Amino acid sequence: TPLLTSGQTEPTLGDMTTMVASLAITLLAYGAMAWDDLVLAPPAGKTGEPAMMFYGQGASITTGAYAPLGKAIQRAVPFPLWFAVPQCLDDIAAVPLCFDWGMARVTKAMEKQGINATTIFYGGHSLGGAMMPAYAASNTKNAKGMILMGSFLTRKYKNTFSSEGLAQYAFPMPTLTIGGEMDGLCRLTRIAESLHTQITLAEDPDKNTQNLPVTVIEGMSHMQFASGQAPSFVLKHDLRSEITNQDAWDQVAHDTASFMLAQLGHQDAMDRVKKRVSETKQFVSPIVTAFQMEANHQYKPPCYCESYDEYGGRIYGTCRSKPNCTGGTPWTSIAMQIMGQGDLGKTIKINAVDSTHIMTEERPTCHLPHIHGNPKAQANPGNGHSPPLCSSPDDDCTLNITTVTQQVYKNFGEFDFWRLEFNLSWADTGGVPLSAFELRTKMKSRQAVWQAANITQGQDFNRTDTPVNKGGQGDRCQEINQASIDFALKLLPEKTRQRYLKHGQGLIAGEDKGTCAAGPCWIWDALKYTTDE
């Protein structure tokens, strides 16, 4: 029965008839097809308790395309391993009953060849990996683990909480996630999120390193988990690999074999798994740092806390981070320093604390940026109606400033109008942008900072903040956005930076664009991206 949400109605008789007819067509198709299942018997010379690996195919990738990978895994393990890839209707793993019927077929085929294994491992690539967790979670008998390649446990498995209230991943069997650095469909950014949220933020990181490890193969593309001609969609979106197919298969097989042996009780294999996770953690650390700088909601949700300011209200209060949420955006604190200092304010010490809030929020209060230290709540110090806070910018001038930020996401986040949170689970594919489309930010102007620091030129708004295209000298947003690009490039290893500069789509911070002075104008007038063909 489908879950009903606001605005939906119960299915009509016609809807149910259509559903039954669709199911009947699917069943007829399954019964009529000659299946192209792949079943690889173990190579000679293997000893020990046999096992079998059921593997889900990627969309429009034939089962035979996984033979090289399956053989590499079989070579890498010391025990006899059967490797089976059941074909799905039209080679699409999302088709209903694909795995239920397919597993029965390949099991029967292996039984005809004399299989006597009971130990099971599940696996899958791309769409097959995305669909496999649901099947594996319902078929845990004799299952020792699951290996997802170019795929991952989606956020719906972040279904439990730590003692401090932070969402935690949980799955009924150990699961290894393997990503490729040059995977254009299951991006490295999503694999980095998996590692950080499954392991680093786990209540017991060591336990999750063993149960939910994540590794990355450097230079490997999405299609290199398979072989042969890539489907058109993969061909269009995948990135250019930097290692050979054989190297890719062998490295995936190494991580897979180590994980399998670890789940069978081999401590030396578990040590190898831990080593690979540690290497991967170091490798993706620049990505994690960047997402933490924007206070990405999927890493930790925003606290949205309300705190009182020194005036007894909550307009200028600051939200501090907690173990289960993030109070504000670290990058905005850096941006406030760029905004405030400039050529004449380099000696000003700016202690900026950011809070995350919805920009259109009015209840229980709106939230505004503020330079603290003035006894008058509504005053900008040094503007002629209130004295400056410093005798001069060089006289140990420290300003405590509150800023406000809202991350704007395309696939999850919150709507401004109704404070509605949304998370499109179907968009958690690994191929969509994960970072914020923009950081919607309230900061104090350079003029306000200079006035508070008693800089005479702070009285001239054209000198401090008016955009160049409006006759001023202050493209502050361009300056801050360029700093964010420079910050990202400095995070990168040299090899990655040079690859981006050679092949990547360059980012150039354009001049500031004007909008009306009212709050709704800049809130709804989003950051503009223009592609130069």
Side-chain angles (χ1 to χ4, degrees):
T1 303
L3 295 175
L4 299 179
T5 59
S6 177
Q8 290 182 327
T9 58
E10 293 187 8
T12 65
L13 180 60
D15 294 330
M16 297 179 70
T17 303
T18 301
M19 292 164 61
V20 172
S22 298
L23 180 59
I25 292 171
T26 301
L27 292 174
L28 287 172
Y30 271 109
M33 279 192 67
W35 296 100
D36 187 25
D37 300 327
L38 174 69
V39 176
L40 299 178
K46 301 292 182 176
T47 59
E49 190 71 25
M52 46 190 161
M53 182 177 185
F54 295 113
Y55 196 88
Q57 64 185 135
S60 301
I61 300 177
T62 64
T63 56
Y66 294 100
L69 175 65
K71 291 177 181 179
I73 297 173
Q74 289 177 322
R75 289 193 300 270
V77 296
F79 55 85
L81 177 68
W82 293 77
F83 183 84
V85 186
Q87 186 188 19
C88 295
L89 185 64
D90 203 27
D91 292 325
I92 302 296
V95 173
L97 303 178
C98 163
F99 290 153
D100 297 85
W101 288 44
M103 300 303 181
R105 288 197 315 271
V106 295
T107 299
K108 192 172 183 178
M110 289 187 288
E111 288 173 347
K112 288 182 178 180
Q113 297 183 50
I115 187 175
N116 60 348
T118 56
T119 299
I120 296 173
F121 288 96
Y122 295 111
H125 170 230
S126 195
L127 182 60
M131 303 304 297
M132 187 59 76
Y135 177 84
S138 300
N139 294 271
T140 58
K141 184 179 179 180
N142 296 326
K144 295 295 185 181
M146 178 173 64
I147 303 95
L148 302 179
M149 304 178 186
S151 52
F152 48 88
L153 289 174
T154 60
R155 298 177 192 125
K156 77 174 186 177
Y157 295 105
K158 200 189 291 186
N159 51 20
T160 185
F161 293 89
S162 69
S163 58
E164 295 177 322
L166 181 63
Q168 303 281 285
Y169 271 88
F171 195 74
M173 68 182 65
T175 299
L176 167 65
T177 300
I178 304 178
E181 178 191 11
M182 305 303 293
D183 191 325
L185 285 82
C186 178
R187 294 291 184 125
L188 181 62
T189 45
R190 184 58 182 84
I191 299 299
E193 180 192 319
S194 290
L195 188 148
H196 189 71
T197 53
Q198 289 177 196
I199 298 175
T200 307
L201 296 182
E203 191 157 36
D204 188 342
D206 184 66
K207 178 182 177 182
N208 274 21
T209 298
Q210 300 178 56
N211 289 337
L212 297 174
V214 179
T215 66
V216 168
I217 309 298
E218 295 184 34
M220 184 179 184
S221 70
H222 189 77
M223 190 59 195
Q224 285 187 303
F225 288 100
S227 64
Q229 179 63 38
S232 59
F233 186 81
V234 176
L235 200 60
K236 180 179 180 180
H237 294 282
D238 208 1
L239 300 180
R240 192 174 293 142
S241 65
E242 297 178 343
I243 60 176
T244 67
N245 288 344
Q246 193 60 58
D247 284 342
W249 299 327
D250 289 343
Q251 290 186 58
V252 171
H254 172 273
D255 287 358
T256 301
S258 297
F259 174 76
M260 286 180 168
L261 289 167
Q263 304 314 313
L264 295 174
H266 295 257
Q267 184 56 49
D268 58 334
M270 181 58 74
D271 292 340
R272 292 196 296 273
V273 171
K274 291 181 177 181
K275 182 174 183 293
R276 286 288 293 123
V277 171
S278 178
E279 292 170 349
T280 298
K281 186 175 183 179
Q282 179 64 32
F283 183 69
V284 301
S285 61
I287 296 174
V288 173
T289 298
F291 277 117
Q292 289 174 322
M293 286 299 288
E294 77 162 50
N296 186 274
H297 289 198
Q298 298 298 347
Y299 278 56
K300 275 190 180 181
C303 296
Y304 290 133
C305 54
E306 302 288 343
S307 58
Y308 286 94
D309 54 39
E310 63 265 42
Y311 312 108
R314 287 180 282 193
I315 296 177
Y316 309 122
T318 54
C319 184
R320 302 290 181 174
S321 294
K322 302 174 183 177
N324 65 334
C325 62
T326 302
T329 305
W331 176 252
T332 305
S333 298
I334 295 176
M336 186 64 247
Q337 294 177 35
I338 299 171
M339 172 71 86
Q341 290 176 330
D343 56 339
L344 299 181
K346 293 180 180 178
T347 58
I348 304 173
K349 299 180 181 67
I350 296 177
N351 178 28
V353 179
D354 186 67
S355 298
T356 300
H357 290 287
I358 303 300
M359 290 300 165
T360 54
E361 183 177 56
E362 295 180 354
R363 297 178 182 177
T365 181
C366 65
H367 297 276
L368 298 174
H370 190 64
I371 300 175
H372 296 271
N374 195 316
K376 297 181 180 179
Q378 301 292 335
N380 282 319
N383 67 350
H385 302 286
S386 180
L389 298 179
C390 303
S391 58
S392 79
D394 301 319
D395 188 22
D396 193 25
C397 181
T398 299
L399 300 179
N400 296 308
I401 302 177
T402 293
T403 59
V404 187
T405 301
Q406 177 189 354
Q407 294 83 0
V408 181
Y409 296 102
K410 286 192 171 183
N411 302 301
F412 54 86
E414 292 192 318
F415 289 113
D416 267 321
F417 300 112
W418 306 284
R419 191 74 187 262
L420 269 180
E421 188 170 357
F422 69 100
N423 199 331
L424 306 178
S425 58
W426 55 262
D428 189 16
T429 64
V432 298
L434 303 178
S435 59
F437 175 79
E438 69 173 6
L439 298 180
R440 201 169 280 169
T441 309
K442 296 178 182 179
M443 293 182 283
K444 297 302 292 185
S445 67
R446 180 169 292 180
Q447 181 187 49
V449 173
W450 282 16
Q451 288 176 343
N454 204 17
I455 297 176
T456 304
Q457 291 86 340
Q459 305 304 325
D460 183 1
F461 190 75
N462 282 342
R463 168 75 165 81
T464 58
D465 296 280
T466 299
V468 173
N469 64 11
K470 300 295 182 180
Q473 303 176 37
D475 279 351
R476 298 286 84 84
C477 289
Q478 181 186 43
E479 188 179 354
I480 291 168
N481 287 333
Q482 184 59 53
S484 73
I485 297 170
D486 296 341
F487 177 86
L489 288 173
K490 288 178 181 177
L491 279 178
L492 298 176
E494 185 60 24
K495 179 182 177 182
T496 307
R497 179 166 46 250
Q498 291 304 322
R499 179 200 296 133
Y500 169 73
L501 293 175
K502 182 177 181 180
H503 300 293
Q505 183 179 35
L507 287 174
I508 300 172
E511 64 180 18
D512 289 12
K513 301 290 185 181
T515 190
C516 76
C521 294
W522 74 265
I523 290 174
W524 297 325
D525 194 3
L527 189 66
K528 302 295 190 299
Y529 291 87
T530 302
T531 299
D532 182 348
E533 297 296 344

